[in-house]
Amino acid sequence: MAQQRAGVGLTGFASLPPVAAATPSDGEREVLLSIREVLAGKRFVLLTGAGLSTDSGIPDYRGPGSPPRSPMTYQEFVKDEANRQRYWARNHIGWSHLRHADPNQGHYAAAELERRGYLTGLITQNVDRLHEDAGSVNVVDLHGRYDQVVCLACHRTYSRRVLAGVLEELNPGFLSRAAETGLVEMAPDADATVEDQALISSFVVAVCFACGGTLKPDFVYFGENVPKDRVERSYRMVDEAEALVAAGSSLTVMSGLRFVRHAAKDGKPVVIINRGPTRGDDKASIKLEAGVSESLAWLAAALPPL
């Protein structure tokens, strides 16, 4: 397993201390042995969700104990200038407070499974880029990536790190004033709940450096469609596979659930590893209620050579 180092994924929303993955219990190991029997000698596609990154300190939206969230939708963002101002002001505060994250042993296990030839590909619903940091290559970032922003007019992309510097230049002293008001809560997407509306309304929003268009984080908002090319590439990974493993996703949104349904419709084994129920449980050949990172690490070590 690779040694952890300073995070380079620019996740922007890791706000909890990383957690060392536990060793699977006897009961979990018994289910893992059954999963090994199903997957041994088969190439499979791996679909991952937020439950894989929680051990890296990134909170999720729907996991056990997560508070209810009401993230801004795509329609709210594009139609209202005040909404964009509120979003970028709060996000700028959140970005300044939150740290980078390191891949955990589950991310490294996924990269090892790819290296050993087990994966037809990796589809992730996460935007944190931790799979790439861990060494995975054939990855579809289904919901986009948090380390970039995109212009909605000319479609140029820019580094989120660069944008942070621009926002600081446009809003000198804003972060110190925000600190004086006090933060109520930090959300998983780097949104900071701030009660001082006068502070928010003073924020100057950056525009595209090339055309003056609207900048948006380069990930899929609620109410926004996943780009067609990502969906098609993901379906190819499923079609080339002999099984599908969904790890750390509640499969609440159709963007991930459709691949589980597609695999099941083709008669391929579906393995689901997740703490708590998922929307795809009725399609699962085997369901394991356990930590994702330790389960993937166990499988990466236990599966025989192809």
Side-chain angles (χ1 to χ4, degrees):
M1 202 65 68
Q3 185 177 4
Q4 289 196 342
R5 43 73 186 124
V8 296
L10 283 177
T11 67
F13 49 32
S15 61
L16 299 174
V19 177
T23 301
S25 67
D26 290 342
E28 292 166 351
R29 191 176 294 108
E30 186 174 333
V31 181
L32 282 166
L33 287 168
S34 298
I35 294 174
R36 184 179 66 177
E37 290 183 15
V38 169
L39 298 179
K42 293 184 177 70
R43 299 191 72 219
F44 59 91
V45 60
L46 179 61
L47 169 66
T48 66
L52 177 57
S53 290
T54 53
D55 282 352
S56 292
I58 300 175
D60 61 12
Y61 272 102
R62 301 183 182 89
S66 297
R69 307 285 185 186
S70 298
M72 186 176 295
T73 67
Y74 177 76
Q75 291 74 21
E76 290 170 333
F77 183 87
V78 298
K79 289 182 179 180
D80 193 312
E81 184 177 353
N83 281 342
R84 292 194 293 275
Q85 182 186 48
R86 175 167 59 91
Y87 178 87
W88 281 116
R90 289 160 50 132
N91 184 273
H92 183 51
I93 297 168
W95 181 272
S96 72
H97 278 74
L98 303 176
R99 64 171 182 80
H100 302 171
D102 279 308
N104 62 55
Q105 68 171 1
H107 296 104
Y108 289 119
E112 176 66 11
L113 287 166
E114 181 183 38
R115 188 190 67 78
R116 295 182 61 201
Y118 261 100
L119 300 187
T120 61
L122 195 161
I123 307 165
T124 184
Q125 296 173 284
N126 301 333
V127 299
D128 51 41
R129 301 283 289 176
L130 292 181
H131 279 299
E132 288 85 351
D133 285 355
S136 291
V137 176
N138 190 19
V139 182
V140 174
D141 293 303
L142 194 64
H143 292 165
R145 46 190 293 182
Y146 200 84
D147 60 342
Q148 289 184 169
V149 295
V150 61
C151 174
L152 297 180
C154 70
H155 307 295
R156 286 179 172 87
T157 58
Y158 303 99
S159 162
R160 181 62 181 83
R161 184 197 295 270
V162 170
L163 180 63
V166 172
L167 291 174
E168 184 63 25
E169 290 181 4
L170 291 174
N171 299 276
F174 179 84
L175 292 177
S176 60
R177 295 196 303 276
E180 292 172 0
T181 68
L183 298 178
V184 177
E185 182 187 14
M186 297 300 299
D189 57 357
D191 189 16
T193 302
V194 181
E195 294 181 335
D196 190 336
Q197 296 307 310
L199 178 69
I200 296 298
S201 63
S202 71
F203 191 78
V204 179
V205 177
V207 296
C208 176
F209 314 142
C211 76
T214 297
L215 294 177
K216 183 186 82 70
D218 196 12
F219 55 74
V220 177
Y221 273 46
F222 288 88
E224 187 179 7
N225 293 323
V226 177
K228 185 178 179 180
D229 62 323
R230 296 180 202 165
V231 176
E232 292 176 345
R233 184 180 167 202
S234 298
Y235 272 125
R236 287 196 297 270
M237 290 177 173
V238 179
D239 288 338
E240 294 169 1
E242 299 171 87
L244 180 145
V245 176
S249 174
S250 64
L251 301 171
T252 300
V253 294
M254 185 56 68
S255 61
L257 179 63
R258 59 183 149 191
F259 303 120
V260 171
R261 290 179 172 175
H262 186 72
K265 182 180 179 181
D266 288 347
K268 297 174 180 179
V270 172
V271 174
I272 295 179
I273 304 171
N274 193 64
R275 292 198 186 278
T278 82
R279 197 175 166 197
D281 285 352
D282 62 327
K283 305 298 182 185
S285 308
I286 300 179
K287 168 72 181 296
L288 172 60
E289 294 253 0
V292 178
S293 56
E294 58 260 35
S295 298
L296 289 180
W298 189 96
L299 286 170
L303 283 169
L306 281 174

